[in-house]
């Protein structure tokens, strides 16, 4: 199922060398999308819209007037980003948001760089779930084994990249929704620090937790994309202090805290893959645990539910059929939470950053598995690992929510496969607004793992 | 009733000149406190504690080792500031917080400068009200006419300064609690920008609205005190970006917006006093109105109720008799507010700053009356002004809450008296963190008004 696809970095080189053109890349992506229709990766894909963009890029490149290194490269966009050429559905049954000429800020940035906006990807309905099995167009399927899920909520973006349809795609992440499908599909996914990337034009799930970001087949691909992602946007006040992307040099030493303990259990094969990867990473690894995981998890859940219920309250009253019964139940639960309960959750949240920054040994990178298990089978409602039995939904966000509650930059990198051939991802978390330092450390770790592997 | 008291500035000069000593000042304040016992300004005042501090200051000054210009000057503190020598009651019936050796940060700063901490002042119970008529030790009385209230919740501080007992006192302000009694008692009161002054050790009413600050008989007095008030305190994370006090030069031009319109009504004598003061101020005055006052007011009320209920929830369950029935009703109401309702209030709050900064003509100072009426009589439950009939409580916070919801620095300055001899105050609001610029503009305005008066 997996193409030996060119990475975004390869495509940049091929376009520069003239061995590929925007037209050849667009045709290749369209052909592969058709070939991999069984992945169900796309909510909307219009060959005419794609080819019109590719032709324009072709003409620019032919004139020697490329707008950027990524001019003419197809990039897929999750269906909760507003795009001026496609409706936006968030894969719900609600009346679609028809295109109004408005792109999400990140889409506008990519388009201004000449990227070919290649369709809207399948997602977990309203991003309120992490399996990608609840979608108005049906579940996505994992390119490594279509009997398995991709995870979500950016599952279509994960399948489109891992299936070789596009070299890069965008997702959004409230409790792991970029990292989960990236890990389950064996690719790289990056959730920026909260406040570094504009959320403008990305439908919110929970505005104080949401972050948009790229998914691709290498860390260098992510580096190529971040100039279009990081930086202040007057339309998103949370980015008012955001710096633009400024690549950091490789660090001399990398202090890794390998987190484990109650609440951070994982399956044996996952644990072994992480430990092997850390051995190979040649970093300075310290074992550490984090107290009160349960209270932080409850804080994340309360904030997510309250903010999601607030955002959807009007539409829930107006068009209840626009939500599946499970999403509706979540939103109704959120409406029942009291304000004083939310304030307690917000206070607990405020304790997490000091706990991570001050109460731990010195660190550059926090490490966890991205998922406690490999991609579950379609239809499996429960997962068992490390003495725990939790719903498949809860297993997907098991580790990832921590990065959202703290607002940290987070990466997932592939570090191997299970005996069944399913990918295993390692999560690396950096310091707040230290997105560049995290990427620089991750490059060293990734290279060392690959050299030793 | 009103002494021609020396101001703090006078006392600094008298101490420097040797015409007063810390001992003579302490004795004078104690004598006046006894003489004005009818004001009911103090919740706790211990002559032994006062004299011990004064003696130590006397010795320092005799040795030529004064800690600061205010070394030896008596300063009164509202009874919701923790002090290491007095219990803290917030004038409630709850079990007092016995002194644990901890001073609020501002008290610690004053003490380190040698100030004589002169007792704890009467306040509206738990600061949850603005009349100062609900207090476990009974209401405060206005030095201008003891049949009238002081307003609150820092009413004891207002009475102690206006009655000439001390030259300066400290209060806290969540919806006007510094400015209201300052205005009603004819003195100067300053609420710093949210995040410029440490709230550490001041019992919260509503942590996202509260600000501590000084009350005195001149603007120069406030300038003398602000070095001990403004600046970052690791114990209050909201001050992490706070600069220390750095006096600003007198501005060349002062653009005043004189706010009026629906929701900003006031009594005729108050309106006339403000208009006269503005004419005399020789500033560039523009009339302006603010839309959607009702929605902002509802936002302030919801946030205040939710945060107050959250803070008091444990004690309310444990010791309900620690709250008067009216305060208990407020706190119970806050517990019933839903999280999504609070989130709506927080979103509306986020719109206020852009509305004030971007949707208005250019300004340096926003002006409103501090109160729509002069100090009400004890026992009067309702106030009528400008076609409105509201509770006395609501009349007290009528204008002031706006500065808390926006987090602006706010001053009240006395600008005259009614025919009945009751003081009228004018409120000046500055830009966020522009505390020094507000004070510099206020000095010019205050001097021009006095020259013309």
């Amino acid at each position: 199922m997996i193409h030996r696809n060119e990475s975004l970095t390869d495509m940049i080189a091929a376009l520069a060398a003239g061995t590929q053109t925007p037209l050849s890349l667009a045709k290749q992506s369209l052909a592969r999308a058709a070939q991999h229709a069984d992945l169900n990766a796309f909510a909307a894909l219009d060959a005419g819209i794609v080819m019109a963009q590719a032709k324009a890029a072709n003409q620019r490149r032919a004139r020697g007037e490329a707008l950027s290194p990524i001019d003419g490269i197809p990039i897929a966009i999750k269906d909760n980003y507003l795009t001026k050429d496609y409706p936006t559905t968030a894969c719900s049954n609600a009346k679609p948001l028809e295109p109004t000429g408005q792109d999400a800020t990140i889409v506008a940035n990519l388009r201004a760089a000449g990227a070919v906006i290649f369709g809207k990807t399948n997602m977990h309905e309203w991003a309120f779930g992490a399996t990608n099995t609840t979608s108005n167009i049906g579940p996505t399927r994992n390119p490594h084994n279509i009997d398995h899920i991709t995870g979500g909520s950016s599952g279509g973006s994960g399948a489109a990249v891992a299936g070789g349809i596009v070299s890069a795609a965008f997702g959004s992440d409230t409790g792991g929704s970029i990292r989960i499908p990236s890990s389950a599909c064996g690719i790289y996914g990056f959730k920026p620090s909260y406040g570094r990337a504009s959320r403008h034009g990305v439908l919110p799930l929970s505005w104080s937790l949401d972050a948009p970001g790229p998914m691709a087949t290498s860390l260098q691909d992510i580096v190529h994309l971040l100039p279009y992602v990081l930086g202040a946007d007057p339309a998103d006040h949370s980015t008012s202090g955001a710096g633009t992307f400024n690549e950091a040099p490789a660090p001399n030493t990398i202090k890794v805290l390998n987190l484990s303990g109650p609440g951070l259990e994982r399956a044996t094969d996952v644990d072994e893959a992480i430990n092997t990867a850390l051995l190979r990473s040649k970093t300075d690894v310290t074992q550490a645990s984090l107290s009160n995981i349960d209270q932080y998890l409850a804080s994340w859940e309360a904030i997510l539910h309250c903010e999601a219920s607030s955002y959807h309250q009007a539409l829930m009253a107006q068009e209840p059929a626009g939500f599946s019964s499970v999403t509706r139940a979540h939103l109704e639960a959120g409406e029942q939470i009291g304000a004083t309960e939310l304030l307690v959750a917000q206070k607990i949240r405020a304790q997490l950053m000091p706990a991570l920054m001050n109460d731990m040994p010195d660190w550059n990178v926090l490490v966890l598995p991205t998922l406690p298990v490999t991609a579950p089978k379609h239809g499996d409602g429960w997962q068992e690992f490390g003495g725990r039995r939790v719903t498949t939904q809860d297993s997907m966000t098991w580790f990832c929510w921590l990065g959202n509650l703290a607002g940290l930059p987070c990466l997932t990198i592939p570090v191997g496969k299970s005996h069944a051939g399913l990918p295993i991802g390692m999560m690396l978390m950096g310091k707040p607004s230290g997105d560049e330092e995290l990427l620089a450390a991750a490059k060293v770790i990734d290279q060392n793992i690959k050299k030793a592997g």
Side-chain angles (χ1 to χ4, degrees), chain A residues 31 59 134 141-143 194 205 289 357 359 366 436 450:
Chain A
Q59 288 165 0
T134 302
R141 296 185 172 276
N142 194 311
Y194 186 82
L205 171 58
S289 62
M357 299 296 283
D359 303 346
L366 299 176
E436 288 88 343
K450 281 182 176 154

Side-chain angles (χ1 to χ4, degrees), chain A residues 287-310:
Chain A
Q287 301 296 318
S289 62
L290 178 65
S291 312
N292 304 318
I293 292 273
D294 285 355
Q295 85 171 17
Y296 291 124
L297 176 59
S299 161
W300 171 75
E301 287 193 331
I303 290 167
L304 188 160
H305 274 82
C306 293
E307 294 185 352
S309 297
S310 174

